[in-house]
Structure formats: C-alpha cells, structure tokens
Amino acid sequence: MSTLTGCAMDSSPPEPPAPEEARSKIEEFEAQGGYAPEHGYATTEVRESWKRGHTELDITFMAPAAGGRFPVVVYLPGLGEDATAGPFWRRSWAAAGYAVFAMQPAALGKVFWASDTLDAGELRATGRSYFSAASLESRLSHLAWALGELRQRAAIPGSPYSVADPAIAAVAGFDLGAQAASALAGEAVKVAFRAHTEFNFAGAIVLSPHVTLAEGRLDERAAGMAMPLLAVTGTDDEDPYGLSATSLRSALWQSMPPGGKYLLVLQDGTHDVLAGVEPGQKWKGPPLRPAVGEGSEGGGWLPWSREDLTLQVGQRSATGNSRNGSAGGPSGVAMGLAGRPMRKRASDVRHWAEVAGVSTAFLDFVLKGRERARAWLDRDAGRWMGASAELRRK
C-alpha cells in the first residue's frame, strides 16, 4: 500500500519541465513497454466556427493525413477551454488512426476571460452554474446538432471531414466535458435530452470524472452505464470549483456494472495533467482555486476528512483486490492515510504517456476490436507503469 506524506499546501505551482526534455522522457518511457498502435499516422487539423442559430460553436477536427475512413472520437473540453484543448490526447488518438472531433460552445471557452482573479466563493458559484442540469442539457443539445453536421459533412467527397466514419465512435471529455461524457455513457442525470442517432457511442473516456453526492445515489446513477468505459483520475485530482472531493472521482466507476470498465489512477496526478496540454506547458485553468477545507452550505468541500476519503494508488480493501472494483469506505470509495493538504508537486511526465497509452489501447479494443490492445491493458500495462499509476478493471 502506498501512502502520501501529509504536508502544507504550497500556493505556487511548480514549473513544468522544458518541452524538449519532457518529450525525450516520454519517448524513453514509452519504449520500455508502452502501448504501440498497429499504425502511426501523420496528422492534419482544421479549426472552424459553426453557427447554430445565435450560438457560435468552436470546432477542431484532427485526423490521419491518409486515405480511408477512421473511427471518430468526440472530445469535449473543460470549462474555460476552447476546442483546441487537450492537444496531447487528441494528437495521440489521431496518430493512432482516429478522427478526433472537438466541440465547445465558444462562450464556454471565454468564461474566465474577464476575470483576473476569482475568490473561492465566486469560483464555486461559477462551477455550480456551468455544471448545472440546465447547462448540461444545453451543451448536449448543441453537441447533437454538431454531430449531425459532422455526419453530413463526412458524406461530402473531398471535404476535410470525409475521412471520419461517424458510425463507429467513442466520446471523451475532461472536467466539464467529463460530465457530458458520463451522461452520454448512460449515467442517470436530471436532464431531458432525447436519444439522438448522433449519440450512438460504443465507448467513453472520462478524464477527471465529475461526481457529487448531491446528484443522487451512485448505484442508481451508474446502473445504466453498460458500455465500455475508461475513467482517469489522480490522487491529487482536486476539484478547482470546490464542488466535490478528490476521492469521489472514482466513486461512480465503483458503482458501474462490470464489463469493459477500466479505472486509471495516476500517483500524484493532478487535474492540470488530465487537461492534456502539451508537455512542458501549463494548463491555464480557472484564475484561482478554492482553498482546501473551505465549505459552504449545499456545496464546497465535503464534510468528512481527507483521512476518510483520500484515494490511493495501490490501496487494497479488507475484502479483496481493488482491481476487481471493490474498495473500502463510503460508497465503495478507496481509502487512504493522508491527513493534510498536499504540496503541489512537479508533474510526472510519465503520466502523459500513461494516459495516452492506456486510452489509445482502450479505443483500439473498443472501436477496432484489437485483442492485442485488450491483452496489453489486462496484462502488460500495470508492469509498464509500475508505482506511478494503477489500472483497475472489472
């Protein structure tokens, strides 16, 4: 069992490694047993603005620069990000043979433009507004329309979108986008959206799952999440908006029915890393994060201590191995020993390779039926990552 040393929070974020150094370390680590797709492609990218009535939708489309048609990965960015977000994840998937379509209502990418700083209360209020059921319903409506547009444009010979095969698709999302991806994967949410043919996804990747207990019982919300799903979080994946707790990131996964479910937990992995910025760059994120321990009625940091709910890589429950989805603690949450806020650590560049490798193998297994990818996930991934991350499955 791994443990984390309790320590005071250092308010200054660590400097990222130089881009060249980071890329070199990632390549070296990948060569030691990382997942290798069957083909590697050069990629091309287009960025456009689509109009739906009075709403501007920011669109990017990255795909292999090769003939043929490729399965689609729909990527949904986080709050305050535009459609160019998650470049490392999107490029990794496109290079492995996927047409990656990212969509973000332009207004959501500009949420923090007018604010140099927000105090904890303002940031929490912002989070509540944009993570609300009404906001989710609006975003899903725009997504359905955009995917209909993609389907039409993919049918036009010579269009940059003609390499996309929308009939074979998965959805991926980070932060605010993770909330939508989870809903599209079958989570029971209090949102009225029709079942669109555009939402015919075969699998989902949820980066930094948004989970709060205020939205209802976890087992009821997760009961319909039958499709293959990869959830990714980290032991330091703290909620920038103070709406939830780090340990709840894995709680919904624990309640999902078994079958094609994977949970990747990065040791010391932060919310920033899961944004998928290029190694050596900083994730902009919200202009201020709430202080740990600050609470408010009906929201904020949850009223139990970090001793009760800190998620730990390698933690085993008293009843069995956590790789089968079981874990001790409230609602099946994994338990840990850290007692105080943790210092922000410099990002471990291995985490970029781990998320890219595991997610690409997951896509190859789910969308392309590659048994080699499933064998790597089930047998080789854990040995390759060692103590820096843990991959659970059920």
Side-chain angles (χ1 to χ4, degrees), residues 35 38 71 98 168 202 360-375:
Y35 180 72
E38 291 188 2
Y98 295 93
I168 308 173
T360 300
F362 175 81
L363 292 171
D364 277 359
F365 166 51
V366 172
L367 297 186
K368 298 180 180 179
R370 300 282 195 261
E371 286 300 320
R372 183 179 69 87
R374 180 169 68 171

Side-chain angles (χ1 to χ4, degrees), residues 253-254 258 261-265 313-317 320-327 377-387 389-394:
W253 184 89
Q254 299 283 359
K261 304 297 194 302
Y262 293 87
L263 172 66
L264 177 62
V265 184
V313 169
Q315 179 69 35
R316 298 290 184 267
S317 72
N321 191 318
S322 65
R323 292 183 187 274
N324 65 10
S326 62
L377 287 169
D378 294 349
R379 182 189 61 211
D380 301 326
R383 290 199 297 264
W384 171 58
M385 296 185 294
E390 180 180 7
L391 182 64
R392 309 176 189 181
R393 66 182 184 273
K394 64 176 181 177

Side-chain angles (χ1 to χ4, degrees), residues 201-330:
F201 295 115
I205 299 172
V206 183
L207 299 156
S208 192
H210 174 72
V211 183
T212 67
L213 298 183
E215 295 169 358
R217 290 183 46 156
L218 295 176
D219 56 348
E220 294 176 352
R221 286 158 51 191
M225 304 182 77
M227 72 171 61
L229 182 144
L230 168 65
V232 185
T233 186
T235 58
D236 288 4
D237 182 12
E238 295 181 347
D239 180 5
Y241 310 100
L243 302 177
S244 185
T246 304
S247 47
L248 285 179
R249 301 286 193 194
S250 66
L252 193 65
W253 184 89
Q254 299 283 359
S255 299
M256 294 177 194
K261 304 297 194 302
Y262 293 87
L263 172 66
L264 177 62
V265 184
L266 308 176
Q267 180 66 44
D268 303 334
T270 65
H271 197 65
D272 304 41
V273 168
L274 298 176
V277 298
E278 295 290 356
Q281 297 181 357
K282 289 183 179 180
W283 178 57
K284 296 179 181 179
L288 180 69
R289 290 173 175 78
V292 175
E294 287 190 7
S296 63
E297 64 283 359
W301 297 95
L302 294 172
W304 39 75
S305 67
R306 292 175 66 96
E307 289 96 330
D308 292 332
L309 284 174
T310 300
L311 177 65
Q312 294 288 329
V313 169
Q315 179 69 35
R316 298 290 184 267
S317 72
T319 58
N321 191 318
S322 65
R323 292 183 187 274
N324 65 10
S326 62

Side-chain angles (χ1 to χ4, degrees), residues 6-14 236 238 289-293 301 306 340-345:
C7 52
M9 177 69 75
D10 181 354
S11 60
S12 60
D236 288 4
E238 295 181 347
R289 290 173 175 78
V292 175
W301 297 95
R306 292 175 66 96
R340 294 189 299 276
M342 293 172 287
R343 180 184 297 115
K344 293 179 181 178
R345 298 169 177 84

Side-chain angles (χ1 to χ4, degrees), residues 11-374:
S11 60
S12 60
E15 289 298 319
E20 298 79 8
E21 177 187 2
R23 283 193 292 269
S24 176
K25 289 183 177 180
I26 288 172
E27 291 173 0
E28 180 181 355
F29 181 54
E30 288 175 332
Q32 297 170 6
Y35 180 72
E38 291 188 2
H39 301 285
Y41 297 90
T43 63
T44 61
E45 183 175 18
V46 296
R47 186 180 186 188
E48 296 183 331
S49 178
W50 294 357
K51 282 278 192 178
R52 185 195 182 198
H54 297 293
T55 301
E56 179 184 354
L57 302 179
D58 189 16
I59 303 294
T60 62
F61 182 76
M62 185 182 295
R69 303 191 79 197
F70 301 92
V72 171
V73 178
V74 175
Y75 184 75
L76 306 175
L79 182 59
E81 295 184 318
D82 59 30
T84 65
F88 193 80
W89 312 147
R90 293 187 297 112
R91 186 170 293 106
S92 297
W93 300 332
Y98 295 93
V100 186
F101 177 81
M103 189 282 293
Q104 178 79 306
L108 295 185
K110 303 173 183 177
V111 167
F112 301 118
W113 280 19
S115 303
D116 293 330
T117 60
L118 292 174
D119 64 32
E122 292 170 328
L123 191 54
R124 190 176 294 112
T126 300
R128 284 176 178 158
S129 175
Y130 287 100
F131 282 88
S132 68
S135 173
L136 175 60
E137 185 172 334
S138 174
R139 285 179 277 123
L140 291 176
S141 176
H142 290 314
L143 177 61
W145 181 88
L147 292 180
E149 281 291 304
L150 173 64
R151 192 179 297 273
Q152 293 179 30
R153 297 179 189 219
I156 301 174
S159 162
Y161 303 97
S162 62
V163 298
D165 183 0
I168 308 173
V171 62
F174 164 70
D175 186 80
L176 189 69
Q179 182 196 36
S182 186
L184 293 168
E187 181 184 357
V189 292
K190 299 174 183 178
V191 171
F193 68 94
R194 299 188 307 275
H196 294 272
T197 56
E198 287 80 6
F199 290 161
N200 187 25
F201 295 115
I205 299 172
V206 183
L207 299 156
S208 192
H210 174 72
V211 183
T212 67
L213 298 183
E215 295 169 358
R217 290 183 46 156
L218 295 176
D219 56 348
E220 294 176 352
R221 286 158 51 191
M225 304 182 77
M227 72 171 61
L229 182 144
L230 168 65
V232 185
T233 186
T235 58
D236 288 4
D237 182 12
E238 295 181 347
D239 180 5
Y241 310 100
L243 302 177
S244 185
T246 304
S247 47
L248 285 179
R249 301 286 193 194
S250 66
L252 193 65
W253 184 89
Q254 299 283 359
S255 299
M256 294 177 194
K261 304 297 194 302
Y262 293 87
L263 172 66
L264 177 62
V265 184
L266 308 176
Q267 180 66 44
D268 303 334
T270 65
H271 197 65
D272 304 41
V273 168
L274 298 176
V277 298
E278 295 290 356
Q281 297 181 357
K282 289 183 179 180
W283 178 57
K284 296 179 181 179
L288 180 69
R289 290 173 175 78
V292 175
E294 287 190 7
S296 63
E297 64 283 359
W301 297 95
L302 294 172
W304 39 75
S305 67
R306 292 175 66 96
E307 289 96 330
D308 292 332
L309 284 174
T310 300
L311 177 65
Q312 294 288 329
V313 169
Q315 179 69 35
R316 298 290 184 267
S317 72
T319 58
N321 191 318
S322 65
R323 292 183 187 274
N324 65 10
S326 62
S331 301
V333 179
M335 305 286 281
L337 298 177
R340 294 189 299 276
M342 293 172 287
R343 180 184 297 115
K344 293 179 181 178
R345 298 169 177 84
S347 299
D348 187 339
V349 295
R350 292 177 296 180
H351 291 160
W352 275 268
E354 289 160 349
V355 175
V358 169
S359 62
T360 300
F362 175 81
L363 292 171
D364 277 359
F365 166 51
V366 172
L367 297 186
K368 298 180 180 179
R370 300 282 195 261
E371 286 300 320
R372 183 179 69 87
R374 180 169 68 171

